[in-house]
Amino acid sequence: MVNRFVIIFIGLFIVCISCSSSHITQESGVENSNQQNDSRDISDKEYDLLFVGNSLTYSNNLPRLVTQEAKRKGIVITTTMLAKPNYAIVDHWADKEVQRLIKTKKYDVVIIQQGPSSQADGREMLLNSGKEYSNLCNANGAKLAYFMVWPSRIYYHTFDGVIKNYTDAAINNKAILCPVGKIWKQHFDKTSDFSYYSQDQFHPSLSGSKVAAKVIVESLFLK
């Protein structure tokens, strides 16, 4: 009887260990992390970020670069990426997955991005659809941030429009602005070095994505 009791006890102990390991999850396209939302302490610089965008976000796995840049500055973050080719923020909204994620109340910051948006329709999306994101974030304990992107080199003349529309949207919706495109343009105008672009002259090179990660970390945590 004693031996049988010991065997049953050991079996239950193993099952309990197995169940507890299910709390270790892998964020979309990023890294392994222990997800225990109830124990998250913002004062200890532990943050959950949700990236919502398109290929300008998933190129070079920008969320991972942001995680690495934050770590160098002593900031601990975990990230989730929701990014699809050619998607605008209205497309993500129509899919409804982004609403589901935000409503989990898991995220401290939701970082949204779409195409350059220098024209009137892109500006309207940033302002009006961005307002819907802002309202949902506010209702679920998250802060909205805009990841300002850039135009392709062939449309370089639209750069000021991109900067203005992202800036106006962030101001109007009381969101954080991550002015990556503005920093890119300052570099280009000063150096005539366009190596932040990849070979297609639109998507970022690895160095361009690293600059983006640096600007995002500084905008979110160091200002």
Side-chain angles (χ1 to χ4, degrees):
M1 292 297 293
V2 173
N3 290 339
R4 181 178 299 176
F5 175 81
V6 171
I7 291 171
I8 292 172
F9 176 81
I10 293 173
L12 290 173
F13 179 74
I14 292 172
V15 169
C16 289
I17 293 176
S18 176
C19 291
S20 67
S21 68
S22 65
H23 294 288
I24 302 176
T25 62
Q26 185 171 18
E27 296 288 352
S28 303
V30 194
E31 297 182 352
N32 290 328
S33 58
N34 290 327
Q35 301 291 332
Q36 294 185 2
N37 295 334
D38 292 340
S39 64
R40 186 179 59 201
D41 187 353
I42 300 302
S43 65
D44 289 338
K45 295 187 181 296
E46 298 179 1
Y47 301 90
D48 284 296
L49 310 183
L50 173 62
F51 284 82
V52 181
N54 55 35
S55 57
L56 298 182
T57 288
Y58 67 68
S59 291
N60 304 310
N61 200 338
L62 178 62
R64 175 171 290 158
L65 296 176
V66 170
T67 300
Q68 294 169 350
E69 178 67 21
K71 184 177 180 180
R72 281 191 286 270
K73 298 183 183 301
I75 304 166
V76 178
I77 66 172
T78 59
T79 63
T80 299
M81 176 168 57
L82 180 62
K84 298 182 180 182
N86 302 314
Y87 257 48
I89 58 176
V90 294
D91 299 315
H92 283 294
W93 195 263
D95 284 352
K96 301 187 185 305
E97 176 65 9
V98 67
Q99 294 97 312
R100 185 192 69 78
L101 288 171
I102 294 173
K103 287 178 180 178
T104 64
K105 300 183 183 296
K106 170 182 176 180
Y107 300 102
D108 301 299
V109 186
V110 177
I111 305 164
I112 61 174
Q113 164 271 316
Q114 60 182 24
S117 306
S118 63
Q119 303 302 312
D121 57 344
R123 176 182 173 84
E124 182 180 358
M125 291 181 200
L126 290 174
L127 287 165
N128 297 336
S129 185
K131 181 64 174 176
E132 294 180 308
Y133 280 78
S134 179
N135 289 340
L136 187 61
C137 285
N138 289 337
N140 290 277
K143 184 69 177 177
L144 180 66
Y146 282 85
F147 163 24
M148 178 197 293
V149 293
W150 49 84
S152 63
R153 277 195 68 185
I154 195 173
Y155 294 116
Y156 197 84
H157 62 281
T158 68
F159 222 132
D160 288 339
V162 176
I163 293 171
K164 175 176 173 53
N165 289 344
Y166 270 88
T167 301
D168 288 350
I171 292 172
N172 286 6
N173 291 321
K174 296 180 174 59
I176 299 168
L177 180 65
C178 304
V180 177
K182 183 177 180 180
I183 299 302
W184 273 35
K185 188 175 188 295
Q186 290 174 348
H187 173 77
F188 297 151
D189 291 347
K190 181 179 180 180
T191 67
S192 296
D193 169 19
F194 294 92
S195 60
Y196 292 171
Y197 285 110
S198 65
Q199 289 185 348
D200 70 4
Q201 299 299 295
F202 177 50
H203 289 90
S205 65
L206 180 57
S207 62
S209 291
K210 286 182 176 179
V211 170
K214 185 175 185 294
V215 173
I216 289 171
V217 169
E218 290 176 351
S219 300
L220 296 183
F221 304 113
L222 303 178
K223 289 187 177 180

